[in-house]
Amino acid sequence: MTASMRIASVRLLSKTRHYFSSEVAVQPGARTVHHQPASTRFVFTSVRCNVCLIPVAFLHKGRAYGTQSSSVTVTEEPDLLFQKLSVLVKSHDKAVLDSYEFFATLAAKELGLTLAKVFEPPKNIERLTLLKSVHIFKKHRVQYEMRTHYRCIEISRITGSTSRVYLEYIQRNLPEGVAMEVTKTAIEKVPDHIQMPLWSVQSQEKQGSQ
Amino acid sequence: LIFVSFQTVCRQLNSTLWLNVGGRSIHSSAVCCKNRAARIRVGKGDRPVTYEQALHPHQIAHRKGWLSQHTSNLQGEDGAADRTVEDLFIRRLIYGTFHGCLADELVIKRRGNLLVICALMLQKLPPHKYYFLVGYTEELLSHFYKCPVKMEIQMLEEKSVYKYL
């Protein structure tokens, strides 16, 4: 159940997403991925690609091309801006991480995101030394180890809506046995009350009173 | 605390053996150099053995893969004990439900909330019974573990033999 790596165009991107939301089984008691198009907002001008969110109810109706006119809302509130989006994936298997890195970098390039750094932090080995026998024989032990390999993909200068789309795509196609940690560094406007330094305001007031 | 690993103990024993080549002495030690976990010992050569059984556990991540794939054994993740207990329960349940039909060990994968059980089966029962048993296990396990459970089975005519030990 791995996504096709041949993402030729953005249309195919939305098509693969369409398949994925149908394959993940949804059961009443289950925790599902939050995916409700009515609540997501897009500032359409900042996003280069036409990514359509398909409501779950309409998945089995017609072809993917027919769903171009889906609910994409444009709102007045400004989109969040992220200076850096850091995706750290960890796994026991290095080969799985290699292939996932290829997939994630390809997806980022197709979406037009700037990949700041793609690197491999050093692996972590946790070793346990246990007694080999159930009873006595203290000198004879057995050693186990658990290796965790890491891969980090850093994307710079990304908007909130693009990051949500990219992360949803990446996370839907996460292989089994791979964990992901996402760190976002947001950019905010400097608050008005600290635009001017306090001492200059006070000196202005003193000059004004004199 | 000094941990003495079995490798250093073996080396010490071997070195003492070499030192006593000239003289004769009785030496007795507990059987320390042998590991017996998840291994089938070499025998007469008439016992068919699958790839999974033939390779020893130190070959995992080298020539073998993992039978149970989840994230709880990674650094900074928790829930390892719960996943292990679930895996054991699932393996026993399926071994009993499809008694005599399993060709090899189960592969259990966890993708988010979804639990996928991959099994290789032999053609011992008629197909409609397989369909019923697969649906029954999926339904039972999904109600028990409160998560979607899928079984992916592949049929084989007979057990795939890697070598004879």
Side-chain angles (χ1 to χ4, degrees):
Chain A
M1 203 167 116
T2 50
S4 160
M5 303 271 241
R6 298 172 281 110
I7 307 168
S9 68
V10 174
R11 238 188 214 168
L12 194 56
L13 191 82
S14 63
K15 228 176 153 186
T16 345
R17 284 188 64 243
H18 159 81
Y19 292 145
F20 261 87
S21 38
S22 62
E23 276 185 13
V24 173
V26 173
Q27 285 209 350
R31 242 186 328 113
T32 53
V33 175
H34 177 74
H35 178 57
Q36 286 155 26
S39 59
T40 49
R41 281 113 196 260
F42 274 89
V43 178
F44 201 68
T45 49
S46 62
V47 179
R48 195 167 63 91
C49 55
N50 310 330
V51 180
C52 29
L53 286 178
I54 303 149
V56 178
F58 299 130
L59 269 177
H60 298 285
K61 236 194 206 176
R63 297 173 298 167
Y65 298 103
T67 54
Q68 282 292 327
S69 58
S70 62
S71 52
V72 175
T73 50
V74 178
T75 52
E76 290 304 318
E77 64 179 59
D79 204 359
L80 277 171
L81 296 171
F82 295 116
Q83 194 179 56
K84 193 171 76 163
L85 177 76
S86 171
V87 174
L88 178 77
V89 272
K90 0 180 209 179
S91 171
H92 292 299
D93 198 350
K94 210 170 161 196
V96 166
L97 286 179
D98 288 336
S99 110
Y100 189 73
E101 177 207 314
F102 173 72
F103 160 74
T105 48
L106 190 68
K109 270 180 228 161
E110 287 296 322
L111 281 173
L113 307 174
T114 43
L115 285 165
K117 269 197 283 180
V118 178
F119 63 102
E120 189 185 345
K123 66 177 185 277
N124 177 287
I125 306 179
E126 189 191 326
R127 292 199 176 96
L128 301 168
T129 312
L130 307 170
L131 297 172
K132 194 189 267 193
S133 173
V134 160
H135 181 54
I136 56 172
F137 301 120
K138 190 62 175 265
K139 289 184 192 171
H140 307 114
R141 300 186 190 219
V142 76
Q143 289 183 317
Y144 298 106
E145 65 181 29
M146 287 180 279
R147 293 185 180 187
T148 310
H149 299 272
Y150 299 97
R151 210 50 75 97
C152 192
I153 299 165
E154 280 188 18
I155 293 166
S156 58
R157 299 183 304 274
I158 187 173
T159 56
S161 34
T162 322
S163 73
R164 229 177 304 151
V165 166
Y166 179 68
L167 284 174
E168 169 140 15
Y169 183 62
I170 292 291
Q171 283 160 12
R172 289 252 185 183
N173 297 327
L174 218 98
E176 49 278 332
V178 174
M180 187 198 281
E181 278 176 19
V182 175
T183 318
K184 295 179 187 173
T185 315
I187 305 171
E188 278 182 4
K189 191 166 171 289
V190 177
D192 288 327
H193 64 270
I194 58 169
Q195 287 275 13
M196 297 294 295
L198 259 177
W199 51 86
S200 71
V201 169
Q202 279 174 357
S203 63
Q204 277 177 12
E205 281 173 8
K206 275 183 194 167
Q207 281 173 6
S209 65
Q210 280 167 5
Chain B
L1 255 171
I2 303 165
F3 283 123
V4 179
S5 73
F6 72 97
Q7 280 175 350
T8 50
V9 170
C10 284
R11 273 191 225 118
Q12 281 167 10
L13 269 178
N14 289 340
S15 62
T16 50
L17 284 168
W18 278 111
L19 282 173
N20 291 339
V21 155
R24 285 194 213 172
S25 56
I26 297 172
H27 62 276
S28 60
S29 70
V31 176
C32 59
C33 302
K34 288 185 192 290
N35 283 328
R36 298 200 65 93
R39 270 161 242 264
I40 294 180
R41 296 278 148 186
V42 173
K44 294 229 167 145
D46 54 351
R47 181 177 174 177
V49 138
T50 59
Y51 187 82
E52 184 68 42
Q53 291 164 332
L55 294 181
H56 295 170
H58 64 263
Q59 305 277 17
I60 292 174
H62 184 40
R63 294 178 203 175
K64 267 174 105 160
W66 284 269
L67 287 177
S68 165
Q69 288 163 359
H70 53 269
T71 58
S72 52
N73 280 324
L74 294 167
Q75 189 75 20
E77 308 283 337
D78 52 357
D82 299 324
R83 304 292 95 74
T84 320
V85 168
E86 285 169 17
D87 280 353
L88 280 171
F89 177 81
I90 290 166
R91 282 175 207 279
R92 283 182 191 222
L93 180 84
I94 293 188
Y95 180 73
T97 323
F98 297 89
H99 194 82
C101 305
L102 283 177
D104 208 345
E105 297 279 340
L106 290 181
V107 173
I108 300 176
K109 301 181 184 182
R110 282 181 179 82
R111 268 173 234 145
N113 204 19
L114 181 64
L115 185 62
V116 182
I117 302 166
C118 313
L120 286 170
M121 306 266 184
L122 302 170
Q123 289 167 353
K124 271 192 129 180
L125 301 169
H128 63 270
K129 290 202 180 174
Y130 275 117
Y131 285 122
F132 170 74
L133 286 174
V134 163
Y136 155 82
T137 350
E138 282 185 2
E139 194 66 31
L140 200 71
L141 284 173
S142 61
H143 278 281
F144 191 65
Y145 285 126
K146 307 283 182 285
C147 66
V149 175
K150 280 192 182 166
M151 268 197 80
E152 288 167 14
I153 61 172
Q154 195 176 337
M155 308 304 294
L156 294 176
E157 285 189 359
E158 53 188 24
K159 276 195 188 181
S160 58
V161 180
Y162 177 65
K163 55 162 124 173
Y164 291 89
L165 286 180

